[in-house]
Amino acid sequence: MRLLVVEDDPDLNRQLVTALGEAGYAVDTAFDGEEGHFLGDTEPYDAVILDIGLPRKDGLSVLEQWRRDERKMPVLILTARERWSDKVAGMDAGADDYVAKPFHMEEVLARLRALLRRSAGHASNDLTCGPLVLDTKAARVMVDGQAIKLTSHEYRVLHYLMMQRDRVVSRTELVEHLYEQDFDRDSNTVEVFIGRLRKKLPVDLIKTVRGLGYRLTENPDGA
């Protein structure tokens, strides 16, 4: 899953990017409203963490423009604790949730997981497909109750496919949600990660749909 963090405080921005990266997300970052608006308008993010008080263009204006342009990704806004009016204005502008500063990083991660679950139609932190279970809270994968060790990129591929369960996902879409903006992207590496996952999963859950991409399903006729 690929996220955007728009926060002008360098230390807080770095802390968010570090925590999100450790949780298994690919993260892009911006330090002002204009850059944040451009990235959110042109890149396919799964969710955005957006500060309200930004230089060059305030967060509410950024959010309102995204929604006018029908950008539908979930947005978690960061607000000052004493400014209740910012929280109301942010929700009215199209935010999906908010966190008040100062905050605990665990709260941000929990609210973000909830937003991603709801946007993909899932009710639990545990994503399942037959004997396969991916715990988004612990970033852990199990098959028949046994933990499976994955690299960070293998986990990202599997996480995205499980969030899109039973839907065909193209290689291009996987690449867009697997790597940060400045990463040297190569769609051929997706095939490598899919191959590695198939070797680690004891059942044929990842189907190749010829000419279209991949589908994760427990349906034996899903190919």
Side-chain angles (χ1 to χ4, degrees):
M1 309 296 284
R2 186 176 170 205
L3 310 178
L4 172 64
V5 172
V6 190
E7 166 61 58
D8 63 313
D9 183 297
D11 289 335
L12 182 54
N13 192 308
R14 176 182 51 78
Q15 292 169 19
L16 285 165
V17 170
T18 298
L20 294 168
E22 291 175 349
Y25 301 104
V27 188
D28 290 339
T29 186
F31 293 88
D32 64 70
E34 287 188 359
E35 182 184 15
H37 172 261
F38 174 77
L39 289 175
D41 200 42
T42 57
E43 297 289 334
Y45 294 108
D46 295 295
V48 178
I49 297 176
L50 176 68
D51 186 29
I52 291 296
L54 293 169
R56 303 185 69 180
K57 189 172 186 177
D58 69 88
L60 286 179
S61 297
V62 171
L63 179 55
E64 288 171 344
Q65 186 62 56
W66 281 340
R67 296 316 191 208
R68 283 196 296 269
D69 293 338
E70 297 188 351
R71 299 293 292 160
K72 298 178 181 179
M73 65 281 193
V75 175
L76 176 67
I77 58 172
L78 305 179
T79 71
R81 184 173 298 278
E82 68 275 9
R83 293 289 298 276
W84 65 266
S85 58
D86 283 349
K87 303 170 189 176
V88 174
M91 300 300 284
D92 285 342
D96 297 272
D97 201 355
Y98 71 86
V99 174
K101 298 179 181 180
F103 51 75
H104 293 287
M105 196 63 68
E106 291 80 4
E107 180 182 4
V108 173
L109 293 172
R111 290 183 178 274
L112 186 61
R113 288 193 298 269
L115 291 183
L116 291 169
R117 286 200 311 269
R118 290 199 295 268
S119 68
H122 298 283
S124 170
N125 280 322
D126 289 345
L127 306 177
T128 63
C129 186
L132 176 63
V133 178
L134 188 150
D135 181 350
T136 60
K137 181 178 179 181
R140 179 177 57 187
V141 177
M142 292 178 290
V143 175
D144 291 325
Q146 299 297 314
I148 303 297
K149 187 175 182 179
L150 301 179
T151 67
S152 60
H153 283 97
E154 290 167 0
Y155 176 84
R156 290 180 186 178
V157 170
L158 184 60
H159 186 187
Y160 191 77
L161 288 175
M162 292 196 74
M163 290 291 280
Q164 308 297 325
R165 177 182 165 176
D166 294 321
R167 184 176 75 81
V168 177
V169 178
S170 70
R171 287 195 304 171
T172 299
E173 182 178 344
L174 274 173
V175 169
E176 289 176 338
H177 292 266
L178 179 63
Y179 298 121
E180 294 85 356
Q181 184 194 28
D182 57 357
F183 196 90
D184 184 15
R185 303 175 185 180
D186 180 359
S187 63
N188 291 328
T189 60
V190 169
E191 294 181 357
V192 174
F193 296 138
I194 292 292
R196 290 177 182 173
L197 284 170
R198 282 173 168 157
K199 290 179 180 179
K200 294 181 179 183
L201 303 179
V203 290
D204 184 21
L205 298 178
I206 302 176
K207 317 291 184 180
T208 297
V209 183
R210 188 178 299 276
L212 296 177
Y214 305 99
R215 178 193 289 126
L216 187 136
T217 179
E218 61 179 319
N219 179 2
D221 300 321

